[in-house]
């Protein structure tokens, strides 16, 4: 009981502490690559990704046509891959992230499983980069790929970068994401190992016997359902940085929390928080409800 109360108190502190860090960073931090804070431009995105997004909003677009423009990693598990960012943009973003990591600014870490990395909203990259990426590009794609999982109703996100390196985090145990859908983009650097592995949808970790392994390709993003059991193999050599975007649809999670699989009991928080809203959705996707 004491541990539960301590965890509740820790979570209640997350919002105010994050807001304080973001304010300090905004007032005192000097970027190394200020251009990455500009509004998202098509030049930062891979031509293949632009083509996929353009097709998704075209008249008559359907799943069959979209899949001709994506790599299907697993039809059964509904896992896909597509180039997302250009190599120059990945390099610029990495340089900025490393510069921030080496600064004396306060740093909030992504989650309890990743001890190294950056919360992009604290760094000021939500508004210029991640929100346009979700609204303009990812939502129409996800609406075709995952209409039953809230893909067409994505109204918030949590974006962060994770870092794996010798002497730091090396691997990630199997887990589910606190998201309806996930985008995972390999940013670099040069590394071996660290492959993603996938089990079933909401499969118990103990039952995972023959996972599907997916190697990282720098600049390319893996798309999957948040409830797809997954993890990361141990890093072999080098450093691996990945951008992870948890995509959330309040129309789904307001009815059933994706983590505990129960109806949520909401408390007020700042920003997107965990993606829940108090407003009743007009329509509800049923992927998480079945």
């Amino acid at each position: 009981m004491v541990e539960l109360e301590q965890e509740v108190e820790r979570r209640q502190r997350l919002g105010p502490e994050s807001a304080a860090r973001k304010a300090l960073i905004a007032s005192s931090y000097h970027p190394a690559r200020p251009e990455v804070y500009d509004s998202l431009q098509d030049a930062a995105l891979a031509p293949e990704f632009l083509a996929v997004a353009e097709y998704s909003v075209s008249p008559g677009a359907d799943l069959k046509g979209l899949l001709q423009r994506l790599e299907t990693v697993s039809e059964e598990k509904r896992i896909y891959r597509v180039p997302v960012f250009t190599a120059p943009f990945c390099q610029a973003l990495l340089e900025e992230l490393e510069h921030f990591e080496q600064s004396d600014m306060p740093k909030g870490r992504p989650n309890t499983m990743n001890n190294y990395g950056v919360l992009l909203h604290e760094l000021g990259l939500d508004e210029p980069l991640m929100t346009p990426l979700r609204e303009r590009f990812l939502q129409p794609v996800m609406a075709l790929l995952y209409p039953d999982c809230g893909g067409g109703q994505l109204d918030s996100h949590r974006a962060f970068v994770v870092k794996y390196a010798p002497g730091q985090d090396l691997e990630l145990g199997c887990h589910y994401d606190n998201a309806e859908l996930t985008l995972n983009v390999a940013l670099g650097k040069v590394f071996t190992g660290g492959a993603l592995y996938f089990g079933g949808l909401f499969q118990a970790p103990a039952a995972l016997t023959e996972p599907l392994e997916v190697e990282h390709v720098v600049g390319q993003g893996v798309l999957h359902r948040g409830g797809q059991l997954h993890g990361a193999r141990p890093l072999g050599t080098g450093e691996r940085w990945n951008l992870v975007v948890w995509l959330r649809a309040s129309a789904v999670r307001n009815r059933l929390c994706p983590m505990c699989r129960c109806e949520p009991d909401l408390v007020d928080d700042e920003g997107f928080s965990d993606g829940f809203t108090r407003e009743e959705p007009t329509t509800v996707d049923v992927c998480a409800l079945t």
Side-chain angles (χ1 to χ4, degrees), residues 88-196:
F89 181 80
C90 287
Q91 182 61 33
L93 182 57
L94 270 179
E95 290 177 8
E96 176 58 27
L97 293 169
E98 288 188 296
H99 176 71
F100 176 72
E101 189 68 25
Q102 294 163 8
S103 75
D104 60 358
M105 290 290 102
K107 301 168 183 70
R109 298 309 184 185
N111 50 63
T112 56
M113 298 181 73
N114 291 101
N115 299 303
Y116 299 88
V118 178
L119 292 166
L120 293 194
H121 79 276
E122 292 187 2
L123 195 51
L125 285 171
D126 246 7
E127 293 81 2
L129 178 60
M130 300 315 307
T131 295
L133 184 69
R134 168 173 57 84
E135 293 180 344
R136 291 174 49 201
F137 299 99
L138 289 172
Q139 173 136 327
V141 174
M142 295 304 206
L144 290 178
L145 287 177
Y146 306 103
D148 53 335
C149 302
Q153 297 169 286
L154 303 174
D155 52 3
S156 70
H157 62 266
R158 178 178 175 85
F160 52 91
V161 171
V162 293
K163 177 190 177 186
Y164 297 86
Q168 300 181 10
D169 291 336
L170 291 176
E171 61 186 307
L172 188 63
C174 53
H175 63 283
Y176 317 113
D177 292 339
N178 187 357
E180 277 63 63
L181 302 165
T182 296
L183 168 68
N184 187 328
V185 184
L187 298 176
K189 299 178 174 180
V190 178
F191 58 89
T192 62
L196 297 173

